Amino acid sequence: MKSRNCRGLVDDSSNELYNQKMGQALGCIQVDQSTVAIRETFGKFDEVLEPGCHCLPWCLGSQVAGQLSLRVQQLDVRCETKTKDNVFVNVVASVQYRALAEKASDAFYKLSNTRSQIQAYVFDVIRASVPKLDLDATFEQKNDIAKAVEEELEKAMSHYGYEIVQTLIVDIEPDEHVKRAMNEINAAARLRLAANEKAEAEKILQIKRAEGEAESKYLAGLGIARQRQAIVDGLRDSVLAFSENVPGTSSKDVMDMVLVTQYFDTMKEIGASSKTNSVFIPHGPGAVKDIASQIREGLLQANATM
């Protein structure tokens, strides 16, 4: 089956060549669409034949030298070069070109190998442009490189009857070790940025926590100050009321009695608490007198600062 298919392809090509030869023998030739034929008379260029059927009197020395396609063709060129920072890269350029019908004779006769000619110009422009740029700039300015290649090709190939339709830099491939190093540098930079952001967040948390603690202590201090002020005011009001209602008592006597009462209340609370450890405090009339004098001095100092 495979041998029959291959033989069929050969037969089709042979039949086409046979039909062309027969057409020339009969003085007729067919030119396909998007194609032009080059007619020569006794070996000299005569005219360009458009698509269609043409008479070709071979007896008068006319013959077809060849055909030229007017379709857009594409040539991919891979060029190895070095950047400004000494990194070898493979630059892949895609050139789309076509022959001009009005300059078909130049395209047919002036160039023997169009693809090699275009490839040479692409090599020349890329190897002159990329070494002026760093690796990162090469990626960023690939459109400028493509434009430079297109301008140079357009200027050169227009003399040979070809039009440069489009030029693209489709890929820039550094060495595998260079790509791995670039990825590691990028990853390290992102990790450093993440560490800085994390440290900044922790700093903000610590500052806010310290501000909260300072505000809490400030408010606690205000509460204690107000509590003590309320105690002093209450004791003062109690002393004044007792002195007015019980004749013959002085403020000192009332204060001593209040302090002794507070002292015994404190002793009662200490003894009533089940979680209280052993507490040793002096007890006796002399101790009460000392405590009273200490509290009195504290109250007097508090009144002096008000």
Side-chain angles (χ1 to χ4, degrees):
M1 180 64 68
K2 291 184 179 179
S3 61
R4 183 164 60 252
N5 289 338
C6 293
R7 186 167 58 251
L9 292 176
V10 174
D11 292 342
D12 290 340
S13 177
S14 300
N15 290 335
E16 183 179 355
L17 182 61
Y18 175 77
N19 292 334
Q20 184 177 0
K21 293 294 186 180
M22 286 298 296
Q24 293 183 5
L26 297 176
C28 295
I29 185 174
Q30 176 182 327
V31 181
D32 296 332
Q33 184 65 33
S34 300
T35 306
V36 293
I38 305 300
R39 175 180 175 178
E40 293 180 348
T41 301
F42 295 111
K44 182 180 179 181
F45 171 72
D46 188 2
E47 65 174 337
V48 176
L49 302 179
E50 300 290 338
C53 185
H54 301 272
C55 294
L56 199 71
W58 57 270
C59 57
L60 300 179
S62 297
Q63 63 176 356
V64 174
Q67 295 187 353
L68 184 67
S69 175
L70 301 180
R71 296 179 180 178
V72 176
Q73 304 181 57
Q74 179 169 313
L75 173 63
D76 293 330
V77 181
R78 178 181 293 271
C79 176
E80 183 180 12
T81 184
K82 185 179 71 171
T83 61
K84 187 177 180 181
D85 48 354
N86 296 323
V87 177
F88 283 90
V89 294
N90 286 317
V91 180
V92 180
S94 180
V95 181
Q96 299 174 357
Y97 66 97
R98 66 180 177 185
L100 298 174
E102 60 272 15
K103 295 184 178 180
S105 59
D106 293 336
F108 185 81
Y109 288 105
K110 288 187 177 182
L111 284 181
S112 59
N113 194 330
T114 306
R115 301 176 70 87
S116 298
Q117 184 78 4
I118 293 176
Q119 185 176 1
Y121 278 106
V122 172
F123 281 167
D124 181 67
V125 176
I126 290 179
R127 288 175 176 170
S129 302
V130 174
K132 299 177 182 178
L133 304 173
D134 294 334
L135 182 60
D136 293 338
T138 303
F139 282 96
E140 295 173 358
Q141 302 182 23
K142 69 174 186 177
N143 291 334
D144 296 336
I145 299 174
K147 185 177 180 180
V149 173
E150 182 176 349
E151 290 177 352
E152 185 67 22
L153 284 175
E154 184 68 29
K155 182 170 55 177
M157 299 303 294
S158 61
H159 298 292
Y160 302 109
Y162 283 91
E163 177 190 9
I164 304 301
V165 179
Q166 185 72 29
T167 302
L168 302 173
I169 301 297
V170 296
D171 197 7
I172 299 176
E173 300 176 355
D175 185 77
E176 186 65 29
H177 298 288
V178 176
K179 290 194 290 186
R180 188 180 300 112
M182 292 174 65
N183 291 333
E184 291 177 356
I185 292 173
N186 191 10
R190 292 182 180 275
L191 289 175
R192 183 170 61 251
L193 180 61
N196 291 336
E197 293 295 334
K198 183 178 180 181
E200 189 68 22
E202 292 179 354
K203 176 183 175 182
I204 294 174
L205 288 176
Q206 292 179 359
I207 292 175
K208 293 300 182 182
R209 190 180 298 114
E211 291 178 353
E213 291 178 357
E215 185 69 19
S216 176
K217 291 179 180 179
Y218 173 74
L219 295 176
L222 289 179
I224 294 174
R226 291 176 181 176
Q227 180 186 13
R228 291 177 178 176
Q229 183 65 38
I231 292 173
V232 171
D233 293 340
L235 290 174
R236 184 176 62 248
D237 294 339
S238 297
V239 170
L240 293 176
F242 192 86
S243 299
E244 292 176 356
N245 295 326
V246 181
T249 59
S250 64
S251 299
K252 181 178 179 301
D253 297 333
V254 177
M255 184 58 108
D256 290 339
M257 184 185 66
V258 172
L259 293 177
V260 171
T261 303
Q262 293 292 331
Y263 174 76
F264 282 110
D265 290 340
T266 303
M267 294 289 293
K268 180 180 178 181
E269 291 179 0
I270 292 174
S273 178
S274 61
K275 296 182 180 180
T276 304
N277 295 327
S278 298
V279 179
F280 296 93
I281 58 175
H283 180 64
V288 175
K289 183 178 180 181
D290 292 338
I291 293 174
S293 63
Q294 292 176 9
I295 294 175
R296 189 182 301 109
E297 290 178 0
L299 292 174
L300 292 175
Q301 292 178 1
N303 289 330
T305 58
M306 290 174 56

